[in-house]
Amino acid sequence: QVRLVESGGGLVQPGGSLRVSCKASGLNFNLAAMGWYRQAPGKERELVARITSSSSTNYTDSVKGRFTISRDNARRTVYLQMASLKPEDTARYYCNTRWRDTNFWGQGTQVTVSA
């Protein structure tokens, strides 16, 4: 019933910007903490950014100052605005939430940073 659908990925040049979105359904979105994770080939999935129901945020060190997570409760959507993108940011980006002690994931959206 819980569904997370990511969109907005694509190809971007180094130094460029991109915003990915995650639409959520099947949960009380206003009460849910949401997160963005990413996974590159050969690497484990890692937390990129997280936002609580009260809009407190935290980021992994490698993206601090470059990425911004936000939420729009009316649209049941969480965003990740990415700036100053680097090739090492290339990964599939996944939306995540924890609801009733269960982790839910979207299908992911691919972000490729290349000249």
Side-chain angles (χ1 to χ4, degrees), residues 41-62:
K43 290 196 170 185
E44 293 187 354
R45 191 171 298 185
E46 66 168 345
L47 175 67
V48 177
R50 186 175 183 269
I51 185 166
T52 69
S53 59
S54 61
S55 294
S56 295
T57 61
N58 60 270
Y59 302 87
T60 192
D61 286 344
S62 63

Side-chain angles (χ1 to χ4, degrees), residues 5 7 9 13-14 16-17 20 27 31 35 39 42 52 56 58-59 77 88-89 101 107:
V5 181
S7 63
Q13 294 184 344
S17 298
V20 292
L27 75 166
L31 301 178
Q39 187 168 26
T52 69
S56 295
N58 60 270
Y59 302 87
T77 301
E88 50 262 47
D89 295 317
D101 295 324
Q107 296 261 53

Side-chain angles (χ1 to χ4, degrees), residues 3-115:
R3 180 174 293 184
L4 306 173
V5 181
E6 302 94 335
S7 63
L11 177 64
V12 62
Q13 294 184 344
S17 298
L18 198 66
R19 187 180 74 165
V20 292
S21 303
C22 172
K23 285 184 172 290
S25 60
L27 75 166
N28 287 334
F29 183 82
N30 292 5
L31 301 178
M34 306 294 297
W36 282 100
Y37 289 70
R38 66 186 180 187
Q39 187 168 26
K43 290 196 170 185
E44 293 187 354
R45 191 171 298 185
E46 66 168 345
L47 175 67
V48 177
R50 186 175 183 269
I51 185 166
T52 69
S53 59
S54 61
S55 294
S56 295
T57 61
N58 60 270
Y59 302 87
T60 192
D61 286 344
S62 63
V63 308
K64 284 181 179 177
R66 299 190 297 120
F67 290 12
T68 302
I69 189 170
S70 62
R71 65 192 298 152
D72 185 335
N73 288 346
R75 296 181 183 270
R76 296 183 177 183
T77 301
V78 62
Y79 304 95
L80 185 67
Q81 179 68 52
M82 300 176 285
S84 302
L85 283 161
K86 306 173 181 179
E88 50 262 47
D89 295 317
T90 295
R92 192 163 186 87
Y93 284 72
Y94 296 89
C95 185
N96 165 265
T97 191
R98 187 176 179 88
W99 184 249
R100 301 186 187 275
D101 295 324
T102 302
N103 278 301
F104 295 91
W105 301 90
Q107 296 261 53
T109 186
Q110 180 68 35
V111 174
T112 301
V113 185
S114 177

